[in-house]
Amino acid sequence: MKQTGAALGLAVEWLKNCKSLFVLTGAGVSKESGIPTFRDALEGLWANYNPEQLATPEGFRKNPSLVWQWYDSRRQKVKDVVPNPGHFALAELQKMVPEFFLCTQNVDGLHIRAGSSDVVEIHGSISRFKCFDNGHVQTEVPYDLKDPPLCECGSLVRPDVVWFNEPMPEKLLKQSFTAAEKADVALVVGTSGLVYPAASLPFHAKQSGAKIIEVNPNRTELTDSCDLFLAGPSGEVLPQLVEGLK
Ligand code: APR
């Protein structure tokens, strides 16, 4: 495993020759925007709750108002922050390689706000809503509601995120696996690699012949399987990669 200086040069080289780039991002890419990870956000008022209560269909059925208020607080947080240089670098990178696919596990919408297009939000989005029973899409959902509003069909409205114990959107998953398979380089940014099936995407890319570059200040479950590990925060490392490509 090479260290950042030499590794960075090699990563730039691979990206220069790359025809199809697959990018997987996780909570780490939004860290420098001040978005706490799901678990980090379980503090203060929320310290006594766990993911089963706040982010499962069962939790919502049991206490819809609690789950609604939790997501409202997360949504407010996201509204008040801005994308960081890591998000912007990925938006720039998209224009520098012939084929680019960005799959994010984040629900904060910051890649889109930074200018990335065709982002696959595999765990959904905190800014979109659907009804619990029938998946009817909802628009114009106000902040600060204490209880979930009702859909026209009578069902409660919920955030359009993928909760624990729920399947991933099949179409998006399929698109992501196809893109990973096609890629000659995969860039894995700010994810612990613990949550499947998203975490299997880099392995899939590798099995299909892609070189894997990981950007993370810490080693992860994925690090040993990567071809290059760029140690550092994505808000610093990704802009350096983009600079190297200019
Ligand atoms: N730049 C890049 N990576 C960073 C930074 C940073 N500035 N700071 C922290 N990280 C890394 C951490 O080292 C860690 O490996 O980001 C990773 C965050 O890991 P998780 O919190 O587990 O986030 P993620 O991998 O996205 O989690 C996957 O789990 O909580 C559920 O559904 C939720 O989508 C989420 C999924």
Side-chain angles (χ1 to χ4, degrees), residues 26-28 31-32 37-38 105 123 190-192 195 216-218 220 233-234:
K31 182 100 179 179
E32 289 148 274
T37 63
F38 189 92
Q105 299 164 85
H123 291 169
T191 177
S192 56
V195 176
N216 200 309
N218 307 303
T220 70
S234 47

Side-chain angles (χ1 to χ4, degrees), residues 12-167:
V12 168
E13 203 52 42
W14 290 350
L15 288 173
K16 263 188 189 148
N17 296 317
C18 172
K19 296 198 172 47
S20 185
L21 176 62
F22 175 84
V23 185
L24 175 69
T25 66
V29 79
S30 293
K31 182 100 179 179
E32 289 148 274
S33 291
I35 300 279
T37 63
F38 189 92
R39 270 161 227 282
D40 286 349
L42 291 175
E43 56 175 22
L45 280 179
W46 300 103
N48 295 326
Y49 297 102
N50 60 45
E52 287 69 37
Q53 290 166 296
L54 299 175
T56 61
E58 296 73 27
F60 185 74
R61 267 193 211 100
K62 219 178 216 172
N63 196 340
S65 302
L66 177 78
V67 174
W68 185 264
Q69 286 171 33
W70 158 251
Y71 278 95
D72 183 59
S73 74
R74 301 273 288 158
R75 186 180 168 216
Q76 307 248 13
K77 178 93 197 160
V78 165
K79 175 173 68 88
D80 294 339
V81 304
V82 289
N84 68 60
H87 296 110
F88 288 115
L90 287 175
E92 222 178 318
L93 196 53
Q94 182 163 25
K95 300 184 196 122
M96 296 171 132
V97 289
E99 272 186 40
F100 180 95
F101 189 95
L102 172 55
C103 174
T104 185
Q105 299 164 85
N106 300 342
V107 296
D108 55 33
L110 288 176
H111 284 303
I112 296 169
R113 279 169 62 193
S116 288
S117 53
D118 303 321
V119 182
V120 168
E121 297 177 308
I122 197 118
H123 291 169
S125 167
I126 205 163
S127 320
R128 289 196 305 263
F129 297 87
K130 62 183 182 183
C131 77
F132 187 78
D133 292 336
N134 300 307
H136 295 141
V137 174
Q138 311 289 312
T139 51
E140 317 262 327
V141 175
Y143 290 92
D144 288 325
L145 298 178
K146 294 290 167 244
D147 307 299
L150 287 180
C151 177
E152 278 182 4
C153 72
S155 161
L156 293 175
V157 171
R158 57 165 282 183
D160 189 3
V161 297
V162 178
W163 280 331
F164 297 103
N165 304 338
E166 286 189 311

Side-chain angles (χ1 to χ4, degrees), residues 179-193:
E181 212 165 283
K182 220 175 148 194
D184 38 35
V185 179
L187 190 57
V188 184
V189 186
T191 177
S192 56

